[in-house]
Amino acid sequence: MDARPLLLIDSASLYFRAYFGVPESAAKAPDGTPVNAVRGFLDMLSTLIRGRNPDRLVCTLDESWRPAWRVALLPSYKAHRLTPAGGEDVPDALEAQVPIILDFLAALGITAVGAPDHEADDVIGTLAAREPGPVEVATGDRDLFQVIDDARDVRVLYCGRGVAKLEVLDDAALHAKYGVPAAGYADFATLRGDPSDGLPGVAGVGEKTAARLVDRYGGLDGILAALDDPAAGVAPGLRAKIVAGRDYLEKARDVVAVSRTVPIGPLETKLPTAPADGDRLMELAQRWGLAGAAKRIVDTLAR
């Protein structure tokens, strides 16, 4: 029998999708407070647990959505998502629901963990590197494709089209999709850029060219070394573009790379079969008008 996986949840990725996927009008507490993100998130968890059958599960959190050390390297990192007050631009109705999600997770007995000055991606990268496999990472964030590792049996469940239509990506599937292996994905993403994260990429280098460069030279170290080697065969026009973007590349590579060494203590990863605090769960379900979602996840845990 195949071992059951550790399921790592990119919580912010899922609750943002839940908020925009479930209308506020469809899920309100008795006092009128929107709880659409809470309901959607709990139902996504239920769907993932039923579909993937994990025996361990951790919900990862952004303790810092824009870590200072990444901003120091690349000031444009997520800068377009800053509010005038310096916080993240999140809908007020969603921001108010995040503590409720954490309350439900605590009552269920599902571990939720973040790390100071790090994003959930870094927590996922660290746990995927240290915890026994198999590991499956549920996310809508392409940056996490870099944690795929066939040798350690780490796969990504890409939720770009929702948790009911997962793309299960191992190294072969990623290579078929982008033309690069998981080990080269961070360098590929750095070259290509990502406007949603404030990463400009190298001007004039698109996705196909970035993939060809990584495939030919093995990654940024090989690409940058090729700039100084006349025998490397870099076309003059392309060479000029990379030279112009060299300073960006050398800084951005450490911004894009997911950390695997975040100091996180031992965690309880075992997926509970019953709520840790049934009375508290019932209280939350009644207060927020989410008896249906609470029952669905309790029934899923008891399977």
Side-chain angles (χ1 to χ4, degrees):
M1 182 177 176
D2 290 341
R4 293 168 65 188
L6 164 64
L7 182 56
L8 299 177
I9 304 291
D10 182 0
S11 300
S13 178
L14 264 62
Y15 62 62
F16 266 91
R17 277 169 169 70
Y19 176 78
F20 289 107
V22 179
E24 286 187 18
S25 59
K28 290 191 175 182
D31 67 358
T33 302
V35 287
N36 53 323
V38 186
R39 194 189 81 181
F41 182 85
L42 292 175
D43 283 344
M44 285 179 175
L45 273 190
S46 295
T47 299
L48 286 164
I49 293 167
R50 284 195 308 271
R52 306 311 300 178
N53 194 32
D55 61 357
R56 298 163 291 149
L57 188 146
V58 175
C59 288
T60 65
L61 308 172
D62 284 324
E63 284 211 12
S64 175
W65 69 280
R66 190 172 181 257
W69 58 274
R70 282 192 166 106
V71 175
L73 287 166
L74 197 69
S76 68
Y77 183 61
K78 296 185 178 179
H80 61 295
R81 287 153 56 182
L82 281 169
T83 65
E88 185 179 12
D89 186 13
V90 178
D92 291 343
L94 171 56
E95 191 167 17
Q97 294 182 63
V98 175
I100 304 171
I101 290 171
L102 297 179
D103 284 345
F104 270 97
L105 291 175
L108 288 164
I110 292 174
T111 296
V113 64
D117 207 27
H118 285 87
E119 299 172 61
D121 288 13
D122 302 309
V123 177
I124 287 170
T126 298
L127 295 179
R130 107 179 177 191
E131 298 293 325
V135 176
E136 295 188 334
V137 176
T139 183
D141 184 353
R142 294 185 300 173
D143 287 341
L144 281 165
F145 292 165
Q146 64 187 280
V147 306
I148 292 169
D149 185 342
D150 286 3
R152 298 200 75 253
D153 203 2
V154 178
R155 297 187 291 183
V156 164
L157 312 176
Y158 184 56
C159 308
R161 295 182 298 153
V163 297
K165 298 179 180 177
L166 294 176
E167 285 184 79
V168 181
L169 297 173
D170 58 8
D171 205 68
L174 185 72
H175 201 285
K177 192 176 180 72
Y178 291 103
V180 296
Y185 187 84
D187 287 351
F188 160 75
T190 303
L191 282 160
R192 177 199 62 198
D194 186 348
S196 69
D197 278 341
L199 299 168
V202 174
V205 174
E207 192 161 287
K208 290 182 179 179
T209 302
R212 284 200 302 270
L213 286 165
V214 170
D215 186 59
R216 180 170 182 179
Y217 298 106
L220 280 179
D221 287 338
I223 293 165
L224 294 175
L227 298 180
D228 305 317
D229 180 3
V234 182
L238 180 56
R239 183 183 183 281
K241 291 173 184 175
I242 300 170
V243 168
R246 187 169 195 155
D247 184 59
Y248 156 78
L249 287 172
E250 290 178 342
K251 293 177 180 177
R253 65 188 309 178
D254 291 330
V255 174
V256 174
V258 167
S259 176
R260 266 85 164 179
T261 57
V262 177
I264 301 169
L267 295 177
E268 176 55 74
T269 62
K270 186 172 175 58
L271 184 66
T273 56
D277 189 339
D279 290 343
R280 174 63 172 153
L281 184 64
M282 186 177 297
E283 175 193 330
L284 289 167
Q286 290 176 345
R287 177 180 177 186
W288 299 113
L290 291 170
K295 183 179 187 306
R296 284 190 289 276
I297 194 162
V298 169
D299 288 348
T300 297
L301 293 177
R303 288 168 68 244

